[in-house]
């Protein structure tokens, strides 16, 4: 750990600490350090992210694209940003998918003898329903090669149970999530190719509990669409254990979900015009939609309120950006990315010049730094500011992933930047009924917004 005093020395920048640094460089580094301190003080003393999140999650709750709650969130986002007194607040229309879960899903393990055992399950986003109760045998697989080698007659008419866990040896849990996520995305397609009647997928979590995790899945129009459900990790472990003792057991699944016609929805955009370079744009955003099992607090209510807080912090500290800064509440990240695609499409059509785009979509936990996607010279320039973040423990700036909603801007922007926080607990609650407001810590949330605002202040001042 870097000693406390050393962290404050680092905050003044390496140029200031060097006896050979030019006086102008020393003054600039000191000024930036002081201004960033103002941003953090404002966030910690008067931050509004937490109360905004309370309103979003408490009054509206889950906000799946196409739902009435998603429209309520659009209205809330527009009104909330208008209250900030920004230079402009507006909506961007986008057509979005409208999938509904229907009545609560039910599932039971049916042993050859004895009573049925309840399973905690939820439909994966986009799944077809079961059209009543669907009962079938089960084959468990851990790898795609295992499924590929399995004779079709062994799979036909059964559920394929995908039970490969997230890899606990990956220190970054996001990597473990991505590594195991192919089962959720492709499971129904690959199972149906072998004649299966459905797919059962182990939830994407390192926790062992009874919360099933939803999330988007895919179909291939050339392959029969079969129902796909997630099992809680405890449920997956139990099913696996019972299968070893009783390979002939069956599972009964009932899901009423369905895909409805697309619905018109919106991104919500607020901006502060740049004082020197108004035609150069910096975007910061999170996604306004969420899954429907809970309140969508960490995913991604926190990213939305932090993005709005960036604009408030710049205004409240008097640090008017030299380049235009936009906060975007993107719609439909969870099951379509229509909002992110529309934003990039409109930006390109308007010939806008985008300097950088930042996204917060990893929860509202303790800030650690930023992942930067761009040319090596651009990454290096952002990394030069790392010492200014040392006092705030968010100095980890490295090559990384920007984010799903800002991804479509690639090729139009110099840098895609992902806000990174401590993700060890994130996938315990991600896409579950546990993603509620009470899981968010006020101080961690406000520190994250301050970190984002500070980096945007520097990009606005110096460009890329």
């Amino acid at each position: 750990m870097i000693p406390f005093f050393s962290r404050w020395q680092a905050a003044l920048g390496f140029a200031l600490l060097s006896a050979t640094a030019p006086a102008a460089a020393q003054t600039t580094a000191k000024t930036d350090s002081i201004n960033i301190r103002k941003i953090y003080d404002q966030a910690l003393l008067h931050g509004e992210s937490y109360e905004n999140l309370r309103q979003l999650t408490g009054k509206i709750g889950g906000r799946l694209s196409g739902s009435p709650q998603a429209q309520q969130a659009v209205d809330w986002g527009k009104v909330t940003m208008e209250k900030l007194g920004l230079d402009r607040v507006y909506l961007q229309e986008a057509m979005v998918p409208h999938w509904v879960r229907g009545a609560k899903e039910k599932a039971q393990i049916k042993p050859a003898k004895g009573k049925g055992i309840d399973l905690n399950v939820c439909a994966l986003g986009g799944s077809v329903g079961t059209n009543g109760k669907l009962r079938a045998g089960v084959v468990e697989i851990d790898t795609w090669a295992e499924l590929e080698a399995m004779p079709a007659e062994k799979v036909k008419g059964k559920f394929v149970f995908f039970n490969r866990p997230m890899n606990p040896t990956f220190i970054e849990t996001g990597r473990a999530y991505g590594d195991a996520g192919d089962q959720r995305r492709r499971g129904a397609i690959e199972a149906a190719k072998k004649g299966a009647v459905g797919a059962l997928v182990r939830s994407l979590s390192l926790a062992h509990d009874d919360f099933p995790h939803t999330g988007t899945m895919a179909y291939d129009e050339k392959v029969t669409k079969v129902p796909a459900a997630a099992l809680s990790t405890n449920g997956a472990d139990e099913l696996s254990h019972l299968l070893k003792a009783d390979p002939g057991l069956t599972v009964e699944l009932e899901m009423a979900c369905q895909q409805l016609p697309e619905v018109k929805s919106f991104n919500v955009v607020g901006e502060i015009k740049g004082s020197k370079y108004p035609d150069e744009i910096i975007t910061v955003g999170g996604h306004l939609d969420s899954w429907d099992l809970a309140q969508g607090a960490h995913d991604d209510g926190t990213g939305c309120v932090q993005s709005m807080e960036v604009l408030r912090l710049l205004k409240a500290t008097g640090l008017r950006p030299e380049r235009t800064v936009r906060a975007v509440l993107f719609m439909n990240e969870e099951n379509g990315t229509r909002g992110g695609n529309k934003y990039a499409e409109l930006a390109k059509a308007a010939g806008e010049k985008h300097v950088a785009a930042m996204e917060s979509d990893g929860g509202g936990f303790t800030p650690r730094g930023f992942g930067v996607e761009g040319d090596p010279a651009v990454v290096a320039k952002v990394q030069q500011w790392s010492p200014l973040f040392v006092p705030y423990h968010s100095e980890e700036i490295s090559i990384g992933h920007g984010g799903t909603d800002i991804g479509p801007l690639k090729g139009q922007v110099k840098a895609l930047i992902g806000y990174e926080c401590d993700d060890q607990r994130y996938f315990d609650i991600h896409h579950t009924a546990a993603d509620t407001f009470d899981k968010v810590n006020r101080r961690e949330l406000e520190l994250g917004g301050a970190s984002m605002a500070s980096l945007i202040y520097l990009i606005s001042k110096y460009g890329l």
Side-chain angles (χ1 to χ4, degrees):
M1 177 178 288
I2 300 175
F4 180 80
F5 182 68
S6 296
R7 287 185 176 275
W8 276 104
Q9 285 183 316
L12 298 179
F14 292 143
L16 183 61
L17 298 178
S18 172
T20 60
Q26 293 184 24
T27 301
T28 298
K30 185 174 183 179
T31 298
D32 290 336
S33 178
I34 291 170
N35 286 338
I36 288 174
R37 181 72 247 187
K38 288 180 182 178
I39 290 172
Y40 275 88
D41 285 351
Q42 172 63 215
L44 294 173
L45 291 170
H46 309 292
E48 296 182 3
S49 295
Y50 192 71
E51 290 307 315
N52 281 337
L53 184 65
R54 186 195 302 274
Q55 293 294 315
L56 176 63
T57 57
K59 291 190 173 182
I60 300 174
R63 310 168 295 280
L64 189 57
S65 293
S67 69
Q69 292 81 8
Q71 182 57 47
Q72 291 170 23
V74 168
D75 297 338
W76 170 86
K78 186 172 184 290
V79 169
T80 303
M81 284 209 270
E82 285 173 341
K83 290 179 180 178
L84 294 178
L86 306 177
D87 294 325
R88 188 183 178 201
V89 177
Y90 56 99
L91 303 179
Q92 292 179 330
E93 181 180 320
M95 297 300 293
V96 301
H98 186 195
W99 177 83
V100 294
R101 185 174 301 279
K104 182 175 174 56
E105 305 89 335
K106 297 178 182 178
Q108 274 197 337
I109 300 172
K110 300 283 191 177
K113 297 181 180 180
K115 294 182 179 180
I117 302 167
D118 290 338
L119 271 176
N120 289 305
V121 302
C122 67
L124 292 178
S127 175
V128 297
T130 57
N131 193 27
K133 294 179 180 179
L134 176 62
R135 183 170 176 176
V138 182
V139 290
E140 179 179 353
I141 68 110
D142 292 318
T143 67
W144 295 113
E146 187 178 349
L147 179 61
E148 181 67 26
M150 195 172 288
E153 58 268 22
K154 188 175 180 180
V155 180
K156 188 175 181 180
K158 296 182 178 181
F159 288 108
V160 175
F161 170 34
F162 298 89
N163 195 32
R164 172 162 42 95
M166 285 172 59
N167 189 334
T169 67
F170 292 153
I171 303 304
E172 294 182 1
T173 59
R175 181 185 173 195
Y177 174 77
D179 178 66
D182 54 353
Q183 300 171 108
R184 191 187 74 197
R185 294 187 297 272
R186 295 172 43 205
I189 297 173
E190 301 304 325
K193 286 180 180 179
K194 289 280 189 174
V197 297
L200 305 174
V201 184
R202 182 186 185 89
S203 285
L204 299 181
S205 175
L206 290 165
H208 291 270
D209 58 30
D210 294 318
F211 289 107
H213 293 231
T214 192
T216 193
M217 48 81 68
Y219 285 121
D220 184 333
E221 293 302 322
K222 299 177 182 179
V223 179
T224 301
K225 295 180 180 180
V226 299
L231 310 184
S232 70
T233 51
N234 281 348
D237 289 342
E238 184 170 28
L239 178 57
S240 179
H241 173 73
L242 292 174
L243 270 172
K244 289 177 175 60
D246 181 9
L249 66 74
T250 60
V251 164
E252 184 177 270
L253 177 66
E254 186 174 7
M255 304 195 309
C257 45
Q258 57 181 318
Q259 192 77 44
L260 301 177
E262 292 187 350
V263 174
K264 180 168 64 176
S265 193
F266 306 89
N267 295 329
V268 186
V269 186
E271 68 180 33
I272 300 174
K273 285 289 184 183
S275 60
K276 290 186 179 180
Y277 312 102
D279 294 333
E280 297 185 19
I281 298 165
I282 303 167
T283 295
V284 57
H287 65 86
L288 193 53
D289 63 307
S290 75
W291 287 108
D292 55 327
L293 296 178
Q295 297 177 328
H298 275 290
D299 187 22
D300 183 30
T302 54
C304 289
V305 297
Q306 286 173 327
S307 297
M308 294 191 295
E309 184 74 350
V310 166
L311 300 186
R312 192 196 72 81
L313 290 171
L314 294 175
K315 281 180 62 69
T317 53
L319 299 172
R320 186 174 184 91
E322 296 185 12
R323 291 164 171 83
T324 294
V325 178
R326 275 186 196 156
V328 183
L329 312 184
F330 293 100
M331 180 55 69
N332 186 230
E333 187 272 349
E334 292 292 6
N335 61 339
T337 326
R338 301 288 184 85
N341 288 331
K342 177 59 67 171
Y343 182 76
E345 174 192 321
L346 294 175
K348 186 174 183 179
E352 292 179 341
K353 183 178 181 180
H354 284 254
V355 178
M358 179 187 295
E359 184 167 343
S360 172
D361 187 19
F365 300 103
T366 304
R368 290 288 179 258
F370 304 90
V372 185
E373 186 177 348
D375 291 339
V378 171
V379 176
K381 182 165 185 177
V382 180
Q383 288 176 322
Q384 288 178 359
W385 295 321
S386 176
L388 292 165
F389 291 87
V390 169
Y392 312 102
H393 305 269
S394 56
E395 72 276 13
E396 298 174 10
I397 300 176
S398 59
I399 296 172
H401 173 62
T404 300
D405 280 312
I406 61 175
L409 283 170
K410 190 171 183 177
Q412 300 182 54
V413 65
K414 292 184 177 180
L416 299 172
I417 303 171
Y419 163 68
E420 296 185 352
C421 56
D422 187 334
D423 65 359
Q424 299 306 316
R425 293 171 288 159
Y426 184 49
F427 293 102
D428 293 0
I429 61 175
H430 181 253
H431 294 183
T432 75
D435 187 9
T436 51
F437 176 73
D438 60 293
K439 306 300 191 306
V440 179
N441 177 274
R442 178 194 291 267
R443 185 172 178 83
E444 291 178 342
L445 179 67
E446 303 293 2
L447 282 169
S451 297
M452 293 162 63
S454 296
L455 184 55
I456 286 174
Y457 154 76
L458 292 167
I459 295 172
S460 171
K461 182 176 179 180
Y462 298 107
L464 291 176

